Amino acid sequence: MEDQGNVRGTDSDHREGPAAVAGPFRSGWAETDLRLPTVPGAAWAAKRRSAVSERFPGERVVVPSGGLKVRSNDFDYPFRPHSAFVHLTAEQGTSAVPDSVLVFEPTGNGHSVTMFTRPRSPRGEQDAEFHRDRRHGEFWIGRRRTLSQTSDALGVEVRARDDLERALGRNVATRVLRGEDTYIDALVPPAPRSDAELASFLSELRLVKDDWERAELGAAVDCTVTGFHDVVGELRHATRLARGERWIEGTFNRRARLGGHGLGFETIAAAGAHACVLHWMRNDGPVRDGDLLLLDAGVEADSFYTGDVTRTLPVSGRFTDVQRRVYDLVFAAQSAGIAALRPGAPYGDFHDAAMRVIAEGLDAWGLRPHGRTASASPSELYRRYTVCGSGHMLGLDCHDCAGARSEAYADGVLEAGHVLTVEPGLYFQPDDLTVPETLRGIGVRVEDDFVVTADGAVCLSSGLPRSADDVETWMASLR
């Protein structure tokens, strides 16, 4: 890795003055301007922009992509644009440019829409960004598109970010997606109620997926399924390592980078009692024969849509009697939740259906953590062992549409085009004295991704087995 100095800044590495350093870069560059095809999904993004325009007539709307975030000193995390920005532009993977801003400017008959972004690093005597700017210079981080290339690719008018202040100078009611661009937040006075309404609308606009989005989610889930096959194929190797969970993590993550943009979220590779930690991402433990491995992972496609699948696997290839007993109950709960997916059903129905099965099963086992309380719902009575809900919307974010109003999401009804997970689980903590010792340290979750259709739901992750018998057969076939 090239030394970038101890202090972030354009001059931290240079031993000579700017004029001397610029000399070798002033000339001798070939003209390589390219005409790029429109990115897949651009036409669908245009329809979504029209929906924004219709919702906020006569008002300016500003949607930033967000910027780079520092990981350590002068190194940044890989850039990932805000999901609302992606939804409205169809921007793709490594082409996304930090600090871009989408502006809807009101006109007499709607809005003109312009993306303000950084142009390609220029060559010439007056601009040294190309070789001196470590965050944005082409010599350091690679080539960006020109403004015209970005316009051609996304099908939207594009101008330089430097023009933003002038573009936003007209006095007009303005809504901003806040918290993503400090420059915009300072430039445009806040309007808390209006800005909050914008954030909710942009989140709710993503609830029903169009045909293109469903295809992208299908591709992301397909790649996720392939990653699970990879893991099972390498599971025996993981048992020979002190940090076998890291091998599992690395195996899946390799597939995510090969088949997509990367991860939709940090991989959860939780073996043994670590499976009782809902979001175990340290992944620093061993993977032992006789234990269960809970793998919760998702590939993010180049379009930024993500899968989210969980399987709980017997490391040895076969469940013990106690493990199978827990797994079968979770599987039955998931099956009940899946059966409740249909348009017009209250969103919470699939969770309630799964929890009824969990409650009946635990009650039959004699597990009553608070005694028998007639007034308590199954979710509350057994929350000690289930902790969280049984699913969530899925899309550009793993937990998609989180900014939607409750009446549009959690307290709403399912619609055709909704994409969501169903993922009940049981987690018996290793120090939980309310359960038999044989159950302590067992965690099981089974999660699949579904698209709601006109008459039910289709499983996007059906390429993976669900039942205990099928899991064992699958694992045997890959060893």
Side-chain angles (χ1 to χ4, degrees):
M1 177 66 68
E2 178 68 23
D3 176 23
Q4 297 185 23
N6 294 322
V7 180
R8 180 184 294 284
T10 57
D11 293 325
S12 62
D13 248 4
H14 291 295
R15 310 302 193 266
E16 302 175 86
V21 171
F25 299 93
R26 287 174 176 163
S27 61
W29 304 105
E31 177 57 57
T32 57
D33 192 34
L34 304 172
R35 302 296 293 181
L36 300 177
T38 302
V39 301
W44 295 95
K47 295 179 181 179
R48 300 174 205 132
R49 294 195 295 270
S50 294
V52 174
S53 180
E54 291 173 10
R55 174 61 179 82
F56 301 108
E59 298 180 81
R60 178 188 291 132
V61 174
V62 182
V63 182
S65 71
L68 294 169
K69 295 177 173 61
V70 176
R71 182 187 183 277
S72 174
N73 189 28
D74 52 357
F75 285 92
D76 297 311
Y77 286 103
F79 176 62
R80 203 285 190 183
H82 191 280
S83 292
F85 180 87
V86 174
H87 196 234
L88 296 174
T89 62
E91 186 60 285
Q92 299 277 302
T94 54
S95 296
V97 176
D99 305 317
S100 299
V101 182
L102 196 65
V103 176
F104 295 72
E105 189 69 21
T107 63
N109 58 351
H111 289 82
S112 63
V113 183
T114 304
M115 178 193 292
F116 293 84
T117 190
R118 295 180 184 275
R120 184 185 177 196
S121 296
R123 305 329 194 250
E125 295 192 19
Q126 302 304 315
D127 198 314
E129 177 192 274
F130 167 69
H131 63 280
R132 294 183 64 85
D133 189 328
R134 288 159 179 74
R135 299 191 100 186
H136 305 292
E138 185 173 313
F139 208 104
W140 290 91
I141 55 98
R143 178 174 177 169
R144 291 191 299 270
R145 296 172 303 210
T146 66
L147 297 182
S148 62
Q149 287 171 347
T150 300
S151 181
D152 290 344
L154 301 180
V156 67
E157 181 184 349
V158 177
R159 292 169 59 184
R161 179 181 166 89
D162 290 347
D163 294 341
L164 256 175
E165 184 172 3
R166 182 167 62 255
L168 298 180
R170 185 163 69 101
N171 186 19
V172 61
T174 301
R175 298 175 186 258
V176 175
L177 183 64
R178 296 283 171 178
E180 298 302 319
D181 191 311
T182 56
Y183 174 76
I184 295 295
D185 286 348
L187 185 64
V188 181
R193 182 173 179 177
S194 295
D195 293 340
E197 287 175 350
L198 172 64
S200 293
F201 176 79
L202 293 177
S203 194
E204 291 168 19
L205 188 61
R206 306 206 310 267
L207 280 167
V208 175
K209 273 60 178 180
D210 57 41
D211 291 346
W212 184 79
E213 291 181 287
R214 293 196 293 272
E216 289 301 303
L217 282 162
V221 174
D222 285 346
C223 192
T224 299
V225 167
T226 301
F228 275 72
H229 287 289
D230 293 343
V231 165
V232 171
E234 297 193 15
L235 192 52
R236 297 309 302 166
H237 187 80
T239 63
R240 298 192 287 268
L241 303 171
R243 289 186 170 187
E245 290 175 344
R246 293 279 170 91
W247 188 269
I248 299 301
E249 175 187 11
T251 299
F252 183 86
N253 293 7
R254 181 179 67 239
R255 176 60 60 182
R257 288 293 283 165
L258 285 171
H261 182 248
L263 297 172
F265 52 93
E266 291 300 310
T267 297
I268 298 168
H274 291 165
C276 299
V277 180
L278 295 179
H279 287 172
W280 176 261
M281 296 176 182
R282 302 177 198 175
N283 300 341
D284 59 357
V287 177
R288 299 187 180 98
D289 274 327
D291 282 347
L292 296 174
L293 169 70
L294 189 156
L295 178 62
D296 186 340
V299 173
E300 181 180 80
D302 289 326
S303 59
F304 297 112
Y305 289 86
T306 186
D308 180 13
V309 176
T310 305
R311 285 296 181 271
T312 305
L313 311 171
V315 176
S316 67
R318 296 193 61 86
F319 293 97
T320 67
D321 290 343
V322 174
Q323 291 168 351
R324 177 180 280 264
R325 185 184 184 198
V326 177
Y327 189 97
D328 284 347
L329 180 53
V330 174
F331 170 71
Q334 193 205 27
S335 298
I338 294 168
L341 297 178
R342 56 184 174 276
Y347 173 81
D349 275 9
F350 75 92
H351 170 73
D352 293 341
M355 286 303 99
R356 280 193 295 271
V357 173
I358 292 284
E360 291 167 3
L362 294 180
D363 192 65
W365 296 356
L367 294 183
R368 303 183 183 96
H370 308 295
R372 184 177 292 280
T373 306
S375 61
S377 70
S379 293
E380 290 304 314
L381 186 60
Y382 293 103
R383 192 172 181 84
R384 181 184 184 97
Y385 310 135
T386 59
V387 184
C388 60
S390 299
H392 53 81
M393 293 294 182
L394 183 68
L396 285 167
D397 292 332
C398 174
H399 297 153
D400 207 29
C401 311
R405 296 166 299 159
S406 60
E407 58 265 34
Y409 183 174
D411 296 327
V413 298
L414 293 178
E415 298 181 41
H418 281 172
V419 178
L420 71 161
T421 70
V422 180
E423 51 172 317
L426 278 172
Y427 313 96
F428 300 114
Q429 299 297 327
D431 57 350
D432 191 342
L433 300 180
T434 70
V435 300
E437 186 174 358
T438 54
L439 290 176
R440 296 174 197 166
I442 293 179
V444 173
R445 180 162 66 250
V446 183
E447 177 183 21
D448 287 282
D449 304 335
F450 296 87
V451 57
V452 178
T453 64
D455 56 0
V458 172
C459 182
L460 299 176
S461 48
S462 59
L464 289 177
R466 289 198 309 120
S467 73
D469 285 343
D470 288 345
V471 166
E472 290 180 347
T473 300
W474 168 57
M475 293 183 69
S477 72
L478 294 177
R479 291 192 175 225

